[in-house]
Amino acid sequence: MMQFMLLFSRQGKLRLQKWYVAHPDKLKKKITRELVTTILSRKPKMCSFLEWKELKVVYKRYASLYFCCAVEQCDNELLTLEIIHRYVELLDKYFGSVCELDIIFNFEKAYFILDELLLGGEVQETSKKNVLKAIAAQDLLQEEETPQGFFEDHGLG
């Protein structure tokens, strides 16, 4: 089971975090700081898997973002790498070649996509098509909830 997923920039700025195991905020910050420092100090040609405490850490860099997951010792590293890649593919499909700014300004969509893919640290949906359908339905629902002309009626548009 996945313990957590972190997305951070090459500068070490945390862009997204999802925890599937409860930890106090102070410990989350310590874990995040330690892993970000460790991963950023590694050379590009080094293996994307590392043993960390009682967990395995799997990470992959896509453009300016690092995607990092911590899984239990018995979990498959290659499957975790595949989950990271699937998430990036979904983000790419939704945003049209995702970039760091997409995550910063649309973090709620990034979380929603992640929640459609993973539930409680386990893969919930393997079909990209089904995940994208759920996201499209959510977007449609959100559009219906925002009344047309709201901004114009209130002198904001």
Side-chain angles (χ1 to χ4, degrees), residues 1-16:
M1 180 183 110
M2 191 176 296
Q3 304 288 306
F4 56 86
M5 180 185 273
L6 305 172
L7 268 69
F8 54 91
S9 69
R10 287 184 299 191
Q11 293 75 34
K13 298 250 189 254
L14 190 62
R15 298 302 183 200
L16 188 122

Side-chain angles (χ1 to χ4, degrees), residues 2 35 40 46 65 68 81-82 110 129 135 140 142 154:
M2 191 176 296
L35 279 176
L40 289 176
M46 292 177 87
L65 283 173
C68 168
L81 208 52
E82 188 58 36
K129 195 159 80 172
I135 297 161
L140 197 60
Q142 214 169 10
H154 292 85

Side-chain angles (χ1 to χ4, degrees), residues 26-75:
K26 195 173 179 182
L27 181 59
K28 286 180 187 178
K29 285 183 178 130
K30 183 177 185 270
I31 290 169
T32 302
R33 191 173 40 252
E34 204 174 302
L35 279 176
V36 167
T37 305
T38 302
I39 291 168
L40 289 176
S41 68
R42 291 170 63 88
K43 298 196 179 355
K45 298 276 185 200
M46 292 177 87
C47 180
S48 293
F49 312 138
L50 56 109
E51 302 281 323
W52 183 78
K53 304 202 177 192
E54 69 283 346
L55 298 172
K56 286 184 201 172
V57 173
V58 178
Y59 68 93
K60 180 90 171 117
R61 180 177 157 197
Y62 289 90
S64 66
L65 283 173
Y66 283 88
F67 292 72
C68 168
C69 295
V71 294
E72 294 169 357
Q73 285 289 338
C74 59
D75 287 335

Side-chain angles (χ1 to χ4, degrees), residues 67-123:
F67 292 72
C68 168
C69 295
V71 294
E72 294 169 357
Q73 285 289 338
C74 59
D75 287 335
N76 185 326
E77 303 96 332
L78 294 174
L79 184 59
T80 305
L81 208 52
E82 188 58 36
I83 291 167
I84 291 171
H85 188 69
R86 177 59 50 106
Y87 183 48
V88 172
E89 286 178 325
L90 288 165
L91 290 171
D92 270 346
K93 282 258 195 247
Y94 185 79
F95 290 111
S97 189
V98 69
C99 68
E100 191 174 345
L101 288 176
D102 291 321
I103 303 294
I104 294 168
F105 293 114
N106 300 290
F107 64 90
E108 69 286 339
K109 289 293 177 201
Y111 276 115
F112 186 77
I113 293 168
L114 185 58
D115 289 343
E116 284 297 313
L117 178 65
L118 297 171
L119 181 65
E122 300 285 348
V123 175

